[in-house]
Amino acid sequence: MLRIGQGLDVHAFTDGDFVTLGGIQIPHTHGIKAHSDGDVLLHALCDALLGALALGDIGMHFPDTDDAYKGADSKVLLAHVYDLVKSKGYELVNADMTVICEAPKLSPYNLAMRDCIASVLGIHLGCSSIKAKKKKKMGYLGRKEGIFASSVVLLQKAND
């Protein structure tokens, strides 16, 4: 049996000198305003995985009202979510992810982000794709006020 999930996340920029994206720190003129490390890419991936199996969303599992998740490493959250997926008898076939921001430039970090995700999930590098897009100066993303990510995943019943 196959299951498809979609996840989205967005965060505003704040003071700082890096963003955490795809599990790695990327130098930038701003940081991310968030309760956890603000990794929109991993958060969108978590929501896609959870959604595919009707397991709620990242906010339900790791609420921003719980101090236990203040400054949380999103790689740890992703590992927990994927453990839930595997406990339901499913495995990831592929994840297709998109990040929208004017800056920072993400192409130099694409492989490192994909490698980090593959390592956290224990999957082949070829099971994930990350694309970066710009808003061409339109809207809050185009004005460099924040960063947005989306993810679509395909899960299959293990041993199918």
Side-chain angles (χ1 to χ4, degrees), residues 91-153:
E91 61 189 8
L92 182 68
V93 175
N94 78 302
D96 185 28
M97 299 163 276
T98 303
V99 179
I100 301 175
C101 62
E102 292 296 310
K105 185 168 181 59
L106 300 179
S107 58
Y109 305 98
N110 189 290
L111 183 58
M113 290 186 289
R114 290 178 56 225
D115 188 54
C116 180
I117 291 167
S119 176
V120 170
L121 299 179
I123 61 171
H124 185 274
L125 184 65
C127 293
S128 70
S129 168
I130 300 173
K131 302 172 300 296
K133 303 291 180 188
K134 293 185 177 189
K135 290 292 284 182
K136 310 223 184 329
K137 301 184 181 179
M138 296 184 302
Y140 69 94
L141 295 171
R143 290 189 301 269
K144 301 180 184 179
E145 295 173 13
I147 189 166
F148 172 90
S150 69
S151 177
V152 176
V153 300

Side-chain angles (χ1 to χ4, degrees), residues 13-91:
F13 287 132
T14 190
D15 294 337
D17 57 2
F18 70 90
V19 296
T20 302
L21 200 58
I24 66 168
Q25 289 186 353
I26 298 172
H28 188 44
T29 57
H30 293 84
I32 298 288
K33 183 177 182 180
H35 185 71
S36 68
D37 64 7
D39 190 328
V40 294
L41 188 59
L42 295 190
H43 295 177
L45 180 55
C46 284
D47 268 349
L49 291 165
L50 292 166
L53 297 178
L55 297 173
D57 63 22
I58 193 170
M60 185 180 101
H61 290 268
F62 314 107
D64 63 6
T65 55
D66 188 337
D67 283 342
Y69 303 113
K70 186 162 182 63
D73 183 338
S74 293
K75 294 187 299 290
V76 173
L77 307 183
L78 178 61
H80 177 78
V81 166
Y82 198 54
D83 284 344
L84 285 174
V85 168
K86 291 187 295 186
S87 77
K88 298 295 183 185
Y90 282 83
E91 61 189 8

